[in-house]
């Protein structure tokens, strides 16, 4: 029988929230920088980190309550609403802002041909195309091989998050033994790089945390925690430097992502750091930050006259403020709405 303390632990793991916040901030840095720093922050690996954390968080409750007795339809419906509502709101707002901005004469060449003034029916068609998340394979690339100029580029990853939610029962059953799952997942990553098939990689990495979710939080020896964290960071960063071929670098980066999630999930000095107030706040707004930071870059940043050292500080502050506003006005109401189905 699950105790009250265990139920509370299931509901929220502060250290994972903290890690999620740091990763979201790293995604912002990836999209806002260039040169060596941009290469040291490989955006694709941060999405992999998000996927692995989703695999862990969404597997914890069903595994501890019991796979056979769990109310899967209600859980899945709530998660779909929780993710889809903010994503659709972000895309809709970006579409509207893009249209108004272009009509007002603002400059954004990459959007000009896609979001130029058009008839109402064409405008609606463009919006529905942007909301067709289940047709995306990776950023701007669709299942049929065509490319799509996305008004809110990060929304592409919601395709795989939603597919994972719909197939969650299968993952929970299959991912019980990591001795089998881990090699299979790494083999899928290898094949994905060799065949240039991102969907295989995206869906495979969700399975990595099933066994960890089943075992619960442990306390590793403190001597290994910091080196393991540094090793995870190095394995992730090397994938952007082109030191190794992708067929070697990408599986190593996935191992680095797994290491960081394991460190954040277990009880240790690093997870305690991720559990502090500032990191918990970053985790709270991380999804909103992920959804809003690129529209801020494309539509607001070019008109900020500040240069020099103060510019990156101002940009990060602006992104965080807009993320907080989006969280309060959109994401938090969506979370409350997601709790209503199945009551």
């Amino acid at each position: 029988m699950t105790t009250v303390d265990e139920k509370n632990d299931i509901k929220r793991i502060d250290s994972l929230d903290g890690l999620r916040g740091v990763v979201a901030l790293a995604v912002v840095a990836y999209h806002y920088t260039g040169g060596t720093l941009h290469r040291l922050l490989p955006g694709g690996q941060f999405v992999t980190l998000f996927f692995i954390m989703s695999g862990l968080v969404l597997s914890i409750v069903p595994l501890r309550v019991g796979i056979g007795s769990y109310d899967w339809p209600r859980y899945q419906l709530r998660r779909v609403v929780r993710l889809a509502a903010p994503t659709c709101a972000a895309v809709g707002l970006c579409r509207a802002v893009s249209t108004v901005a272009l009509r007002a004469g603002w400059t954004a060449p990459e959007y000009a041909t896609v979001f130029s003034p058009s008839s109402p029916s064409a405008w609606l068609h463009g919006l529905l195309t942007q909301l067709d998340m289940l047709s995306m394979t990776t950023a701007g690339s669709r299942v049929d091989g065509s490319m799509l100029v996305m008004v809110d580029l990060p929304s592409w990853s919601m395709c795989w998050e939603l597919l994972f939610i719909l197939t969650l029962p299968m993952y929970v059953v299959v991912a019980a033994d990591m001795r089998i799952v881990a090699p299979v997942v790494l083999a899928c990553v290898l094949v994905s790089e060799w065949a240039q098939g991102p969907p295989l990689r995206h869906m495979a990495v969700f399975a990595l945390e099933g066994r960890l979710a089943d075992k619960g939080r442990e306390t590793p020896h403190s001597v290994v925690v910091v080196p393991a964290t540094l090793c995870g960071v190095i394995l992730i960063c090397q994938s952007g430097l082109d030191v190794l071929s992708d067929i070697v670098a990408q599986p190593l980066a996935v191992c680095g992502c797994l290491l960081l999630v394991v460190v954040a999930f277990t009880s240790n000095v690093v997870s305690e750091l991720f559990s502090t107030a500032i990191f918990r706040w970053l985790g709270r707004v991380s999804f909103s930050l992920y959804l809003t930071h690129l529209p801020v870059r494309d539509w607001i940043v070019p008109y900020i006259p500040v240069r020099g050292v103060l510019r990156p500080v101002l940009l990060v502050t602006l992104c965080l403020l807009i993320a907080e506003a989006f969280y309060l006005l959109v994401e938090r109401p969506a979370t409350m709405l997601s709790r209503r189905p199945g009551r």
Side-chain angles (χ1 to χ4, degrees), residues 28 31-32 94 97-98 101-102 105-112 115 130 149-154 290-304 311 315 318-319 322:
V28 174
H31 284 131
Y32 276 57
C94 288
V97 169
S98 300
L102 286 170
W106 289 20
T107 304
E110 64 272 29
Y111 296 129
F115 305 125
Q130 293 288 322
V149 178
M150 301 184 69
V151 68
D152 191 9
L153 189 64
Y290 181 72
L291 289 175
T292 60
H293 75 279
L294 273 183
V296 172
R297 183 198 69 179
D298 294 338
W299 292 108
I300 300 178
V301 169
Y303 297 92
I304 295 177
R311 185 174 176 83
L315 297 185
L318 180 62
C319 284
I322 291 177

Side-chain angles (χ1 to χ4, degrees), residues 25-88:
L25 207 55
V27 171
V28 174
Y30 169 75
H31 284 131
Y32 276 57
T33 58
T36 303
L37 182 58
H38 180 80
R39 296 171 63 200
L40 280 170
L41 298 168
Q45 308 309 335
F46 300 140
V47 175
T48 297
L49 258 170
F50 284 132
F51 288 170
I52 295 175
M53 282 190 280
S54 292
L56 171 59
V57 171
L58 297 188
S59 300
I60 290 175
V61 181
L63 284 170
R64 296 188 186 177
V65 171
I67 297 173
S69 59
Y70 198 67
D71 189 348
W72 290 104
R74 184 178 69 170
Y75 187 50
Q76 291 169 301
L77 178 59
R78 288 181 171 185
R79 290 302 303 180
V80 168
V81 173
R82 169 73 179 83
L83 289 180
T87 303
C88 291

Side-chain angles (χ1 to χ4, degrees), residues 225-247:
V225 171
V226 174
T229 304
L230 293 175
C231 181
V233 172
I234 291 170
L235 288 175
I236 291 171
C237 292
Q238 59 79 30
S239 64
L241 297 176
D242 298 328
V243 176
L244 303 171
S245 64
D246 282 346
I247 204 168

Side-chain angles (χ1 to χ4, degrees), residues 5 31 42-43 58 63 79 95 102-103 124 154 157 170 181 203 206 240 243 267 310 323 329 335:
D5 288 339
H31 284 131
L58 297 188
L63 284 170
R79 290 302 303 180
R95 185 74 168 95
L102 286 170
R103 286 181 180 273
L124 181 59
S157 63
M170 179 192 71
V181 172
M203 292 306 291
F206 281 109
V243 176
S267 299
L310 287 179
L329 297 174
T335 301

